Amino acid sequence: MSRPYYIAGNWKMHKTRAEAAELAGALASRLADGKHKYLVAPSFTSLETVGAILRGTNILLGAQDCAPAEQGAHTGEVSVLQLKDLGVQAVILGHSERRHIYKEDDALINRKVKLALKHGFEVILCVGELLEEREAGRAEAVCETQTIQGLEGVSAADIPKITIAYEPVWAIGTGKTATPEDADAIHAFVRKVIARLYGTDAAEKIIIQYGGSVKSENAAQLMAKEHIDGALVGGAALTAETFVPIAKFA
Ligand code: 13P
């Protein structure tokens, strides 16, 4: 079964509009002949600027989060309606920084997943264990729970709009990458969870990205693994010089 590769850049809380525009412009031209599926997720404040540059290119516009409600008294939050208005096509949900710094739980993430799907967005659902959970032998159990609860109530018809990103928390921004073997084992396990929930066809088709200190030096080895279908890149997504070689890994 061959799945398309999907390489996404999560710009996190970096870049002014001018800086974001410069990077988006560089990626639009340098990835124009890229063979894979691409996305960048700038800060909310740069979505409009970056969206205008990416329109008509092969790079999708993503948001890093959304509110669990369409509108109302949610100070500081951003709604799917506002994201749609900006031309956003996909939303990253359940990122470990949302889970661990801002204490988002699986129930809240699940509400966001369902709302984003209802409004036609693609979703990148992030799962991943803490170091102490891995050391306690609980990596699979944590990823299983986050996958099952994150997708609770999501219909089989919507599964093609879901990408899973396995991001072991101990590998994010630390320079420590999971070995391709360790990452692949979790990806295979998550695929089995999807098979149990949605059948083997859905499981074979779902894209599972790896995230956590992906660099040009390790991208090809990770992506060579059977169950690793792409990458969700943080630090190395912040310049064209570091992101393009990952996006065009050979
Ligand atoms: P780093 O690539 O900086 O480790 O970040 C990974 C990540 O969290 C992407 O969402």
Side-chain angles (χ1 to χ4, degrees), residues 10 12 92 95-97 126 167 171-175 211-214 232-236:
N10 173 9
K12 305 193 181 182
I92 297 172
H95 191 277
S96 78
E97 289 143 23
C126 305
E167 298 204 306
I172 296 177
T174 58
S213 300
V214 175
L232 181 55
V233 186

Side-chain angles (χ1 to χ4, degrees), residues 8 34 44 58 89 150 163 171 179 182 204 212 215 230 233:
F44 292 129
N58 58 344
Q89 293 146 302
T163 294
T179 64
D182 284 348
E204 281 298 308
K215 307 183 253 317
V233 186

Side-chain angles (χ1 to χ4, degrees), residues 24-45:
L27 296 180
S29 64
R30 292 176 64 177
L31 294 183
D33 61 348
K35 294 180 179 46
H36 310 306
K37 177 173 176 177
Y38 302 119
L39 169 140
V40 296
S43 296
F44 292 129
T45 51

Side-chain angles (χ1 to χ4, degrees), residues 205-239:
K205 287 188 179 137
I206 198 163
I207 294 176
I208 307 180
Q209 298 171 324
Y210 168 79
S213 300
V214 175
K215 307 183 253 317
S216 59
E217 294 81 9
N218 57 28
Q221 288 153 289
L222 286 161
M223 249 87 80
K225 289 292 175 189
E226 181 183 352
H227 295 283
I228 302 180
D229 311 317
L232 181 55
V233 186
L238 295 176
T239 67

